[in-house]
Amino acid sequence: MDTVRVNLAERSYDILIDTGLLDRAGEEIRKVCPRAARLAVVTDSNVMPLYAHRVIPSLERAGFETALFEIPAGEKSKSPERLVWLWEGLMDFGLTRTDAVVALGGGVVGDLAGFAAATVLRGVDYIQIPTTLLAQVDSSVGGKVAIDLAAGKNLAGCFWQPRLVLMDPATLDTLDDKTFSDGMAEVIKYGCIANKGLFNFLLSHPSRAGVMERIEYVLTTCCDLKREVVEADEHDTGRRMLLNFGHTLGHAYERAGHYERWTHGQAVSAGMVAAAKLGVGMGLTPQRGVVEFLTQLLEAFGLPTVIRCSPEDYAAAIGLDKKGSG
């Protein structure tokens, strides 16, 4: 089992990566939540029939009382209405401040469950069990939790670090190719911003099968890169902004597609290419061939490298960007 330790001033935690962790979730959570009596498990309609029947018994074997909260799969579940529904459900379940919330699913589940945990009873522990590649390499680590508003994505949220992150690489086997490629956009991002070795590995293994041959290496490398950045800048005021490479323009593409036409990874993919072209044009990205290598790699995983967007959508997305000031 690979372990990545995230050391922070107040809420440090481990990221555990190992095949079969779903069946050992209860014993691992018991180690970090020794006083908890109840665990509220939040999942979605895609993940529930795949993995709830393995995780819930594991939690109960470890002595936890459980309740399962299923949300419809998709971005629309990251809404204020769904958050209130979850708050009320947690109270009906009898959740106390020594209990915890478990997020079993992809980024939508993690964001919603994490924000509910951060705010109910002024904050309870939560555990991330990410089941998609995008969630495993990105959204489950770092403590950003949020819901969407009518004005845009992730505009109501906070920083609330998980107590533990459990990654079972075997869950990736059930992803369709589009969802797997969605996560590869974030993997490629890490190679671009922080690790030439990872980028070159991806260039030499430009397929899902090639990546899955070394999936533990990929997951551990990406999580360790994010750990390093989060430890240096937990609240996204400086260096952590590097993790948003491609995201500002990507949010414009998501907005232009009404958050339905383009997935997050697809939008970030095109956003990275657009940002790289801007960097070259401004003389900030001097390396020759950067745009070409990036385009080649993204296309190998079936990701778009150009998405049409109006000036109005660009302006709106940039105006709402949380890294903006003044």
Side-chain angles (χ1 to χ4, degrees):
M1 179 165 63
D2 293 323
T3 302
V4 178
R5 179 70 174 175
V6 182
N7 288 302
L8 300 171
E10 294 184 4
R11 293 176 64 88
S12 299
Y13 56 94
D14 286 330
I15 305 163
L16 306 183
I17 303 169
D18 195 24
T19 299
L21 262 180
L22 286 186
D23 301 306
R24 307 197 307 273
E27 62 184 86
E28 296 296 344
I29 294 172
R30 178 55 77 189
K31 293 175 186 176
V32 299
C33 298
R35 299 171 59 204
R38 299 177 182 86
L39 294 180
V41 181
V42 183
T43 190
D44 70 21
S45 53
N46 287 341
V47 176
M48 201 271 289
L50 292 172
Y51 299 123
H53 68 283
R54 291 173 58 188
V55 172
I56 295 294
S58 172
L59 302 181
E60 293 176 344
R61 286 195 300 271
F64 296 108
E65 181 184 349
T66 63
L68 188 62
F69 296 87
E70 180 189 350
I71 64 172
E75 188 71 26
K76 290 183 178 179
S77 285
K78 278 175 54 174
S79 67
E81 294 78 17
R82 187 62 62 178
L83 177 64
V84 172
W85 168 83
L86 185 53
W87 279 335
E88 297 292 356
L90 296 175
M91 292 298 91
D92 289 343
F93 176 45
L95 200 78
T96 70
R97 294 189 72 181
T98 57
D99 297 323
V101 174
V102 176
L104 173 65
V108 168
V109 168
D111 279 359
L112 175 68
F115 192 36
T119 47
V120 73
L121 300 174
R122 295 191 175 92
V124 300
D125 285 342
Y126 83 109
I127 294 88
Q128 288 270 18
I129 308 181
T131 59
T132 66
L133 181 57
L134 193 151
Q136 288 181 356
V137 300
D138 190 59
S139 62
S140 68
V141 179
K144 283 186 177 181
V145 294
I147 59 169
D148 301 339
L149 301 180
K153 281 189 61 170
N154 299 332
L155 292 180
C158 63
F159 292 92
W160 190 246
Q161 300 293 344
R163 181 60 63 195
L164 179 69
V165 182
L166 301 175
M167 295 185 190
D168 190 334
T171 61
L172 304 180
D173 293 335
T174 58
L175 301 181
D176 58 40
D177 286 338
K178 180 180 178 182
T179 306
F180 187 87
S181 292
D182 205 38
M184 282 306 303
E186 296 286 358
V187 175
I188 292 166
K189 176 198 76 177
Y190 284 110
C192 289
I193 65 173
N195 193 300
K196 189 174 182 178
L198 175 61
F199 192 85
N200 288 335
F201 166 78
L202 297 173
L203 281 175
S204 63
H205 295 75
S207 68
R208 177 174 183 168
V211 169
M212 287 302 294
E213 286 177 9
R214 297 282 308 280
I215 189 60
E216 287 85 2
Y217 158 75
V218 171
L219 295 179
T220 302
T221 300
C222 290
C223 288
D224 198 47
L225 291 169
K226 187 158 190 181
R227 170 206 60 78
E228 182 181 354
V229 174
V230 169
E231 285 179 353
D233 179 23
E234 181 179 357
H235 294 116
D236 208 9
T237 58
R239 186 181 175 191
R240 187 167 176 174
M241 293 183 186
L242 279 172
L243 295 173
N244 294 299
F245 174 50
H247 283 59
T248 298
L249 300 179
H251 288 160
Y253 302 140
E254 288 185 89
R255 181 186 177 91
H258 304 289
Y259 302 101
E260 294 177 351
R261 182 175 180 186
W262 305 107
T263 66
H264 178 70
Q266 289 172 330
V268 167
S269 172
M272 287 191 291
V273 174
K277 288 178 178 177
L278 281 171
V280 171
M282 297 170 69
L284 300 173
T285 308
Q287 294 91 339
R288 294 180 60 186
V290 166
V291 174
E292 290 75 17
F293 279 125
L294 178 56
T295 299
Q296 170 191 333
L297 189 52
L298 293 167
E299 289 179 344
F301 287 96
L303 289 161
T305 55
V306 176
I307 293 176
R308 303 299 174 193
C309 190
S310 70
E312 291 76 20
D313 283 319
Y314 276 133
I318 292 169
L320 291 168
D321 192 284
K322 294 176 290 297
K323 299 177 298 301
S325 61

